[in-house]
Amino acid sequence: VNLLLVGLDGLPEPSASLNVYPNPGNGIFHILYRASAPARLTLEVLSVTGTQVYVKEFHGIDVINEVIDLQHLGRGVYFMRIIYNGNVSCIKLIII
């Protein structure tokens, strides 16, 4: 796992946990996110230019266990943003 947390607070909430694998990968990423309480959560993937290439919203949940397919995107660096209760965290994804 190769995670880069960007921001002052790291994860959107202090008691949250996040696993993204494989990273770097071929575009298929497994995401496991656990929050302390159910809430609205948005998962976005952005290109290096800031273009949104993937988005999914979750409502009233405290666990995300998702597989996202980004194989249609070119090789390179992307950023996954997790927005939880107005707090934002950004993780670097690498497609090889």
Side-chain angles (χ1 to χ4, degrees):
V1 175
N2 180 15
L3 299 179
L4 170 67
L5 299 179
V6 178
L8 297 176
D9 297 323
L11 290 172
E13 66 165 326
S15 62
S17 68
L18 174 65
N19 266 328
V20 179
Y21 61 92
N23 191 18
N26 67 357
I28 302 288
F29 295 98
H30 299 263
I31 299 164
L32 178 59
Y33 178 81
R34 288 191 172 105
S36 62
R40 179 176 175 224
L41 192 140
T42 303
L43 177 68
E44 297 178 319
V45 177
L46 307 170
S47 70
V48 292
T49 62
T51 303
Q52 186 182 73
V53 295
Y54 178 90
V55 64
K56 187 167 183 180
E57 291 194 10
F58 303 87
H59 300 277
I61 65 155
D62 57 353
V63 174
I64 294 176
N65 190 2
E66 287 283 314
V67 175
I68 62 172
D69 183 354
L70 304 176
Q71 289 182 317
H72 63 283
L73 301 174
R75 293 179 181 187
V77 176
Y78 296 85
F79 297 95
M80 183 177 73
R81 283 198 313 194
I82 296 175
I83 304 164
Y84 176 85
N85 284 341
N87 298 307
V88 179
S89 181
C90 187
I91 291 120
K92 179 172 59 172
L93 298 177
I94 300 173
I95 298 177
I96 54 175

